[in-house]
Amino acid sequence: MPSYFITGAARNIGYGFLRQISADPNNTVIVLVRDKPATDTRISAEMSDRKNISVIQGDLTDIQSLKTAVEETSKITGGSLDVLIASAAYTGDYARFDGLGDLDIERLGADMHQHFESNVMGNINLFNLFVPLIRNGNLKKVVAISTGLSDLDLIRKLRIANAAPYSITKAALNMVVAKFHAQYADEGILFMAICPGSVATGNFDNLTPEQETKAGVMFQKFIKYAPHFTGPAPIEDAVKDVLQVVDKATIETNGGILVSHFGNKQFL
Ligand SMILES: NC(=O)c1ccc[n+]([C@@H]2O[C@H](COP(=O)([O-])OP(=O)(O)OC[C@H]3O[C@@H](n4cnc5c(N)ncnc54)[C@H](OP(=O)(O)O)[C@@H]3O)[C@@H](O)[C@H]2O)c1
């Protein structure tokens, strides 16, 4: 009975993990969401037959809620956890299409802070609090969902200046993963980061004409990097790809590093 704990599972990719992993009745799936009633309603409407799902209310920025999530998870699993998938992220809009040099420095500071609180500090707290359960698990895997936009080589090569607070805090998250790997690899705990690719989550809907132009420039860079790229992949495909990478991952090959949904450094 492998057990999974997934953050950010109320919608999009996190919900995709919930849907795919809970399809196997042998899996125990526990998810952390900010809006439990809305998530319960959605699960009842779409997956009412699944008895292997538990929904816990919590926020990465609220340490007490994470402590409570650990206690509740422990009660469900009997004190262990096999796989933690940290999918939740703050992906604010403010700097999404502009470079650092084009932003208001006060608003940039506030936006950076908000990204850092969830994507970096929130995940550090999450990992620290869940290590005791992971230690007792059989699979012992902690997976941070990161992004190719945090990969130094990719940013240099494609010259992607926009989305800096998001990219910078995801790059910091990659280092968080490396630090946890350095500390816990000897105990047999795998910490790794995976980019799910470019995924169709609706985040390019309803853009202003100016944003659309800027998004178009970024997509042209994506196509130059990966000529086969035809646009964001369906959530179900991205989740399947990521789970295959998680399944095969070992401390020796993946510990402490960021890989793509292909399991390598090809991000699209
Ligand atoms: N979409 C892509 O193309 C893409 C590409 C590369 C990487 N990724 C990564 O994949 C992951 C999922 O992406 P997505 O597109 O599904 O993101 P999304 O649609 O923005 O959903 C993010 C989820 O995280 C939750 N969340 C945000 N801040 C939180 C906090 N402080 N505490 C707890 N939960 C919080 C949100 O909760 P609410 O529902 O309550 O708002 C939401 O459910 C992210 O880590 C993202 O960086 C996505």
Side-chain angles (χ1 to χ4, degrees):
M1 286 267 289
S3 53
Y4 290 80
F5 186 91
I6 306 160
T7 65
R11 57 191 164 98
N12 291 331
I13 297 173
Y15 188 81
F17 283 121
L18 162 62
R19 188 160 44 204
Q20 253 175 60
I21 296 169
S22 66
D24 181 345
N26 289 317
N27 293 333
T28 298
V29 186
I30 303 147
V31 296
L32 185 89
V33 298
R34 292 192 289 195
D35 188 341
K36 179 170 157 55
T39 309
D40 284 336
T41 302
R42 184 170 180 191
I43 292 170
S44 300
E46 298 175 10
M47 303 184 278
S48 61
D49 54 326
R50 299 190 187 174
K51 305 296 172 220
N52 56 345
I53 300 172
S54 303
V55 179
I56 298 174
Q57 197 280 328
D59 192 306
L60 287 176
T61 63
D62 176 354
I63 292 177
Q64 189 50 53
S65 77
L66 297 180
K67 287 182 177 171
T68 305
V70 173
E71 283 163 18
E72 290 186 35
T73 300
S74 184
K75 280 183 207 150
I76 295 164
T77 60
S80 65
L81 182 67
D82 286 306
V83 183
L84 169 59
I85 301 180
S87 186
Y90 179 72
T91 58
D93 277 340
Y94 175 58
R96 203 168 152 215
F97 295 108
D98 296 301
L100 284 171
D102 299 322
L103 299 163
D104 170 82
I105 61 168
E106 268 92 21
R107 281 192 70 187
L108 172 61
D111 194 54
M112 274 297 304
H113 186 78
Q114 209 168 346
H115 275 85
F116 193 84
E117 223 190 338
S118 290
N119 301 353
V120 186
M121 225 32 251
N123 280 318
I124 291 174
N125 293 336
L126 180 80
F127 297 168
N128 266 329
L129 290 166
F130 271 95
V131 159
L133 298 193
I134 290 284
R135 196 178 266 135
N136 295 336
N138 291 320
L139 300 176
K140 296 185 174 49
K141 293 185 177 183
V142 178
V143 179
I145 303 301
S146 189
T147 171
L149 295 181
S150 66
D151 184 81
L152 282 179
D153 289 337
L154 192 80
I155 297 305
R156 278 186 65 235
K157 196 167 167 183
L158 303 194
R159 297 191 179 171
I160 296 179
N162 57 298
Y166 174 69
S167 305
I168 291 165
T169 54
K170 287 290 190 173
L173 174 63
N174 300 343
M175 182 56 80
V176 168
V177 164
K179 290 291 185 185
F180 274 96
H181 163 74
Q183 184 161 2
Y184 291 106
D186 284 348
E187 286 193 44
I189 302 178
L190 168 70
F191 282 87
M192 69 179 298
I194 306 181
C195 169
S198 173
V199 189
T201 54
N203 60 348
F204 287 97
D205 297 347
N206 306 315
L207 300 183
T208 64
E210 194 194 341
Q211 288 174 328
E212 245 173 50
T213 304
K214 290 175 178 173
V217 170
M218 188 169 71
F219 276 110
Q220 283 312 312
K221 291 180 178 180
F222 286 177
I223 291 166
K224 204 167 162 204
Y225 168 74
H228 58 269
F229 179 71
T230 53
I235 290 172
E236 290 300 314
D237 293 358
V239 165
K240 195 167 158 212
D241 290 344
V242 170
L243 290 177
Q244 274 173 7
V245 174
V246 173
D247 207 36
K248 288 188 198 137
T250 63
I251 292 178
E252 290 67 34
T253 50
N254 301 91
I257 59 166
L258 164 70
V259 295
S260 72
H261 57 305
F262 302 121
N264 55 29
K265 288 284 179 186
Q266 178 67 34
F267 289 99
L268 289 171

